[in-house]
Every structure is written in structure tokens, then in C-alpha cells.
Amino acid sequence: MPKGKPGSGVRTKVAIKPARERTRMPERRQRVPAEGAKTAKRPKRSDAALLAAEVERLEQQLAAARRQLAALEARADVDPLTELPNRRAFERELARSLAYVKRHGTGAALLYLDLDDFKRVNDRHGHSAGDAMLCAVASVLGRHVRESDVVARIGGDEFALLLWNCDEANAVAKALTLEASIGRTTAMHQGVTLSVGASVGAAVLLPLDEPGEIIARADRAMYARKAAHRAA
């Protein structure tokens, strides 16, 4: 260490830098991306966004399943051959009609129809010929009713019609008209002309009727017409 002047008795102070100043590291320079370099990173979808997308996908699948189920339920009420309502649909409509008649006193009638000589068509020409004849009959029935009425194929060669605002006289007249129209109807199958007859029974819906009661009355009327045709 440097010494003070001789004889002065005073020591000279020497300034010593703190250790941290002596050992200070140079600052790291931040790299600056070159001009035109791409620095954007690929965005990541958050968990919430992924969950929302999955929920949307599941909702779409559920909506499609519901539409398919509704279509299947609708087809369950339709006769696949004639495209008319089947027995299940007819029985539901009959129950609704009876409830409406009971509540409001509206006039309505049930026609029960069975084809004559239909078995002969099937036996001679096959079931495909019988199917052609059934479709022709269904077309005739559809042309003879209003939009508010119901025409159904309830099985085999049997059909039923629900007619609104129809009293007994009009129901009987409609039954005779249908018998005549079906008797004039033909269907072609493999070059063969097919034809059948029809027996139609009519019964008016009464406020106290149960579905089985009105069907039984119309069925008896139909068999009475069939017996009359055989006796003629």
C-alpha cells in the first residue's frame, strides 16, 4: 500500500471498488429477428374451445338421430304397399274421432270395405298381381274422400274409411258409390287385366260408442252386403 508522508502520522485512504462492481457480468443482448423472418407461433385451441366443438358435434348427431327416429315412427303407421295409414294408425284416428263426436256432437261415419273375389286373383295370377289390384283400389278410395277424411288399409284386402260430417243416409250412399267404382276398376299385371268387386258396410259413430262397438257394427253391415252380392 502507498505510504503517507514521513512524519505526518496520517495514513492515506485508498478507494476500493465494491466486489459486485468488480465482478459485474456484461448484459446479454436480446436477439432481434431478422427483417422478414416469421415469428408467429401456431395457435393452440384452449380446452374450452375443444369442449365446445365436441358438444356441437354431439348435438348434431343427436338431432340427426331424432330425425331418423321420427321418420321411422311415421313409417310405422303406413302400409308399405299402398302408402295408406295402417291398422295401428286407423285405430288411433278412430279413438280420436269418437272422443270428438262425444264432446262436440259432430256427425261422422265409418265404412268397412272387403274386396270380393280377391283370393281368385291371388290364386290365378300370384301375389304380385294381388298387390297391383290392392294399389288400384287404394287409388280409387283416395279419389272419393275429402282431405278431412281418413282412408286406411287395415289388413289383407280390407280397408276402412272415416268420413266427417256424414249422417247415415250419406254414409250408405257413399258405400254404394265405392262398390260401383271399385267394380269398374281394373289393374294390369303382365299383360293380364285384373278386376275385383267390393262389399262396403256403413255405420254412424255414436257419442257413447267404444272403438270395438263401431267396428263391429260396420263389420256386420259389410258382411250383409257381401251376402247380398252372393245371393244376387
Side-chain angles (χ1 to χ4, degrees):
M1 293 179 62
K3 300 180 180 179
K5 293 180 180 182
S8 62
V10 179
R11 294 181 179 179
T12 303
K13 295 181 178 181
V14 178
I16 301 175
K17 293 183 179 180
R20 63 185 180 183
E21 291 188 10
R22 295 199 308 267
T23 60
R24 185 176 181 181
M25 300 296 293
E27 295 182 359
R28 180 179 296 177
R29 294 183 179 182
Q30 185 176 4
R31 292 183 178 181
V32 178
E35 185 178 354
K38 295 182 179 180
T39 59
K41 295 182 178 180
R42 184 178 181 180
K44 295 183 178 179
R45 300 181 69 179
S46 66
D47 292 342
L50 291 173
L51 180 60
E54 180 66 12
V55 169
E56 182 180 1
R57 184 183 68 82
L58 293 175
E59 287 178 345
Q60 292 175 352
Q61 290 182 346
L62 180 59
R66 286 174 174 170
R67 289 193 296 269
Q68 185 177 12
L69 179 60
L72 291 174
E73 289 178 346
R75 295 303 301 175
D77 288 339
V78 176
D79 173 57
L81 175 63
T82 62
E83 295 294 325
L84 293 176
N86 57 18
R87 177 181 286 274
R88 170 183 167 178
F90 166 75
E91 290 178 345
R92 184 176 61 247
E93 290 301 320
L94 178 60
R96 290 176 180 174
S97 300
L98 286 170
Y100 193 87
V101 169
K102 183 177 182 179
R103 185 170 184 176
H104 301 284
T106 305
L110 170 64
L111 302 186
Y112 221 64
L113 184 153
D114 185 84
L115 298 182
D116 301 333
D117 297 326
F118 181 72
K119 185 176 182 301
R120 172 181 54 82
V121 173
N122 274 338
D123 291 344
R124 290 185 180 180
H125 307 287
H127 290 284
S128 58
D131 290 347
M133 196 71 244
L134 289 171
C135 291
V137 170
S139 179
V140 171
L141 296 178
R143 293 197 299 267
H144 280 80
V145 296
R146 299 158 295 182
E147 291 186 3
S148 59
D149 300 330
V150 177
V151 181
R153 182 190 177 202
I154 57 177
D157 60 346
E158 295 181 344
F159 297 82
L161 297 86
L162 276 171
L163 308 178
W164 283 101
N165 298 316
C166 185
D167 57 19
E168 185 174 5
N170 287 325
V172 171
K174 176 64 74 173
L176 295 175
T177 299
L178 291 176
E179 286 183 357
S181 297
I182 293 173
R184 294 190 299 267
T185 299
T186 60
M188 295 297 298
H189 177 71
Q190 296 181 352
V192 178
T193 302
L194 309 173
S195 63
V196 293
S199 298
V200 185
V204 174
L205 276 65
L206 302 176
L208 298 180
D209 272 339
E210 294 295 331
E213 294 172 340
I214 181 64
I215 290 176
R217 287 206 309 276
D219 192 53
R220 288 195 298 269
M222 181 270 292
Y223 275 106
R225 289 296 301 161
K226 191 176 287 289
H229 291 160
R230 289 172 179 170

